Amino acid sequence: GRRCKRMREDEEKGLLSPDGAGNYGGAVTPGGGEEAWGVQAAVEDVEDEEEDDQDEVPMSLQTNPYVLLACLVGIVLFLLLSALVMWLVERDYSGYNYLDYLYFAVVTLTTIGYGYIVPVTPAGKWLVMVNILASIVMLGYALGLIGSFLLERQERMFVRLLTESEEEEAQKRAERAQHRYRDDEAAALWWRIGISLVLLVLVLASGMLFMCLYMQWDFTNGLYFMVVTCTTVGYGDLVALDTLSRTVMIPIMLIGTFAMASSLGSLADLFVEYKQRALASRLLRRRLSAKLLARMDADHDGKVSYAEFLEYMLVKMGAVTELDIASVKEQFEKLDTDRSGHLTMDDISNM
């Protein structure tokens, strides 16, 4: 592996020489002295293992955009397939074409449910029940990805708030006041909210304009139809009646419901983030008392270490749970084979 490659490179440079048996017992330094190469190799092996472990850790939604891309491709394939199956089952009884059932699949996935295209055969109703359940699972998975992304971002914020000293925080406040600097996290969140709102306004305007021009609706009915559609209310009193209007509404419904959900989710995330920051700031400004000191003293030795303080604050802020802390401690005890209270090279050799 990488260790053997480094040994060959060091031998070519004259930094490593084999003994008579062909074994590499030491490294010859440029000054002519000889030092044990084994310790250096062991350290490099540990670094290699850490790199391998990092490679094995799956990337999150933030660092791996292919997860979101695969989710979107899966949704599109699901819509195309479900529409095809419904059309094959219902085409001899309903009179709708494939585009109509693709429109129906989108209405079902987005939970709009206008109600004027419905299954008429028992087989079609069974397919719709499966379709609804599968749509709920797919939406739940997508929301889970978004929730995991938000949770990871909030955990990083908590750790950063706790590890920064008061001097560093004061310096950052001075820099913000002097250079009008905005926090990267808040700026990114506001940027996402702005993009979602702009996209939502564009979708509402384009859909309203098309329906007003093509369906001869007035401004109120066009905007009413788009708001009812993008919010997935779907009263069904105003609907797209022909193939052209349904074809145009297929991407508008998908983009519109996504933009509406993204805008509302971003606003909710903004509110939660500010509440979490206020909670963190309040906890960090809290005065130390004998009662609070006793709560932080996990090992009851009359002193609170940095680890105990960090553990207490993370739990109180909701970044982790006591079960998470217990699991981490249990893992540490397993790795600490010599029971020294520290992870050393001896623990690696004892594994």
Side-chain angles (χ1 to χ4, degrees), residues 19-88:
D19 56 17
N23 300 320
Y24 293 88
V28 180
T29 62
E34 184 174 321
E35 64 182 11
W37 189 84
V39 175
Q40 180 183 357
V43 173
E44 292 175 346
D45 286 342
V46 173
E47 294 176 352
D48 292 343
E49 291 176 1
E50 290 176 351
E51 294 177 0
D52 294 339
D53 292 340
Q54 293 175 358
D55 294 339
E56 293 173 359
V57 175
M59 290 187 292
S60 62
L61 177 62
Q62 182 185 19
T63 57
N64 188 4
Y66 295 105
V67 175
L68 182 58
L69 179 61
C71 185
L72 294 176
V73 172
I75 291 176
V76 172
L77 293 178
F78 171 77
L79 291 173
L80 295 175
L81 181 60
S82 60
L84 178 62
V85 175
M86 282 295 298
W87 175 67
L88 293 175

Side-chain angles (χ1 to χ4, degrees), residues 66-140:
Y66 295 105
V67 175
L68 182 58
L69 179 61
C71 185
L72 294 176
V73 172
I75 291 176
V76 172
L77 293 178
F78 171 77
L79 291 173
L80 295 175
L81 181 60
S82 60
L84 178 62
V85 175
M86 282 295 298
W87 175 67
L88 293 175
V89 172
E90 297 266 317
R91 60 179 177 176
D92 295 332
Y93 304 94
S94 63
Y96 295 120
N97 56 31
Y98 175 76
L99 284 177
D100 293 332
Y101 279 110
L102 181 59
Y103 175 81
F104 169 75
V106 174
V107 169
T108 302
L109 177 67
T110 55
T111 70
I112 296 175
Y114 289 124
Y116 64 96
I117 298 181
V118 293
V120 296
T121 63
K125 294 177 180 179
W126 277 101
L127 287 174
V128 168
M129 287 188 285
V130 175
N131 190 359
I132 292 174
L133 295 176
S135 299
I136 293 176
V137 172
M138 296 185 69
L139 289 177

